[in-house]
Amino acid sequence: MLACRFRTWVLLLLVIFPILFDPSFSHFDSAKKKQMREKVRKMFYHAYENYMTHAFPHDELKPLSRSFTDSLSELGNLKLEHLPQNYNGTALTLIESLSSLVILGNYTEFERAVLWLSENLTFDVDARVNLFECNIRVLGGLVSAHILATDSTNRLVQGSYKNQLLVLAEDLGRRFLPAFDTPTGLPYAWINLKYGVMKNETTETSTSGCGSLILEMGALSRLTGDPRYESAALRALRKLWSMRSSLNLLGTTLDVETGEWIEHSSGIGAGVDSFYEYLFKAHILFGKEDFWRMFHSAYLAVQKYFRHGPWYHEADMRTGKATYWQLTSLQAFWPGLQVLVGDIAAANSSHREFVHVWKKFGVLPERYLLDHQMLHPTEKYYPLRPELAESTFYLYQATKDPWYIEVGETIVNSLNSYTKVEGGFASIRDVTTMQTEDHMHSFFLAETCKYLYLLFDDSFLVDRNYIFTTEGHPLPVLSAWHERLPEIYIPSNWTYVKNERQTKRSSAMSLQVCPALSLNAGHGEQQVESACHVPDDQSDHKCFSDEECGVDSTSCRRRSCSMAGYCGLWLVV
């Protein structure tokens, strides 16, 4: 239905906006995009070069003081003299910049960065890191860069790359696994890279924190052949989905040991946002229909209980009743996701409201109270977030409406006017005064500049098919990564008895066969259901958990739910 709506919208677009297809207008549009592309290129290198000069190899740049912060871990809170000996950070911003360098066509700098990371980066450090952030930023950056480095079109020097980034990614992935060792399979929010889960570690995490790991860890499994990473992320995702309310809504925070919700109010913003994003993108990347089933149910629930006109408020997962009427800057990703789904009209409606708020303040404030039409009293900052640029890129790709180019120009001009400083680009502490803050997040280079550049120049995407992670790292959509039901897997829920005239179903109980091991199966033979047989919940044998699987007819063994989401005799006994 959504796809049909998308096609209808495109047809209306052809009728209502014929100017879009005027050759003279197209020439003007092309010149404008080229001009804006170069502006974004300069923005990227102004930020990147300042990071490399003043902060590398530490995590992030402090553009006002021209210094650094190791923000990825708790070590960022320590003074320099208290850092572990020889600790130089994880070069976070460099890792986050790798795919952006390729998109900008700077293969020389990309290769230089890859070789430096190959020779110097280590994760064997006593550092407590946030699993979600480390996954989307570092693991995602390494996996994506590895794929780009092995792409022959990216013109790396022959023989200079020998899967070093994949080796680093797998080392990091292995260090993630202890976080999943919980009674529920939901991972701890924090993990020590050297020692695993620390004593008395907090058991509280967010829906995003345990439900947005499948793209990066799934890709790592596909690249290495080690299923543990995808299996851990998938188990957590399925457990999380099983905790939804009868309204198909989820809360914001939960306890990983008890599986109980802590905060029942949620929306599409902070703490939940990428959970929805990863359900649909995992469906695209891995081809599993289960992801679509989950996303479709969740999306309909969001539209029913959170949407109010073009806005999305928060609601209680148990009742669907509104709790907080507020706009958050992270919600601006939603129109981009709606474009992928095909719900263009709804995407455009919400996107225009975000643009209105951006123009009102000059940037997008972190939180805006819709019921009072005023800024949140304390969350008035803008940390260079990319979400509005991201949705603008997707909407332009879907419609080619030049209005989105104008929106991109507005964003670029605002960033240059209010956030550009001599030492890079600085966050805004207060959108009412445009007072700057001494921090440039790595996602400014990973996402903000990337989506703006792609808005004006999408040549990187020509003849290629990518999805972007929530941190803007491209992963290719490959048929080899799409799971198919194996040819040999035909659930053996029936045994057979020869009948020369016709095939009839008869009970194994009446034949006194249980289990039905003594009966041979063959084509044209009568099906006999074993007396011990308990059918799977779904007729197509798909599942989210072991509880949805029955008992096998021929062996009377309990069937289990595979990583691919099918019931079968997967466990070796």
Side-chain angles (χ1 to χ4, degrees), residues 14 39 54 197 218 260 279 311 316 373 394 413 417 541 549:
L14 293 170
K39 279 191 175 183
H54 303 296
V197 179
E260 298 294 328
L279 282 181
W311 299 112
D316 190 304
Q373 290 294 298
Y394 279 115
N413 290 340
S417 296
H541 312 292
C549 300

Side-chain angles (χ1 to χ4, degrees), residues 136 158 202 292 333 356 399 443 446 501 505 516 545 547 570:
I136 65 173
Q158 184 132 8
T202 178
W292 166 252
F333 90 99
H356 174 74
T399 68
F443 56 66
R501 297 183 179 179
R505 181 177 296 180
S545 64
E547 287 74 18
W570 307 115

Side-chain angles (χ1 to χ4, degrees), residues 206 398 535 569:
S206 67
L569 297 177

Side-chain angles (χ1 to χ4, degrees), residues 42 44-55 61 423 445:
K42 290 178 180 178
F44 175 86
Y45 283 114
H46 179 69
Y48 180 80
E49 290 168 1
N50 269 288
Y51 164 74
M52 294 301 292
T53 300
H54 303 296
L61 171 68
L445 290 171

Side-chain angles (χ1 to χ4, degrees), residues 428-435:
I428 300 295
R429 184 186 299 274
D430 187 335
V431 301
T432 62
T433 63
M434 289 302 177
Q435 177 188 2

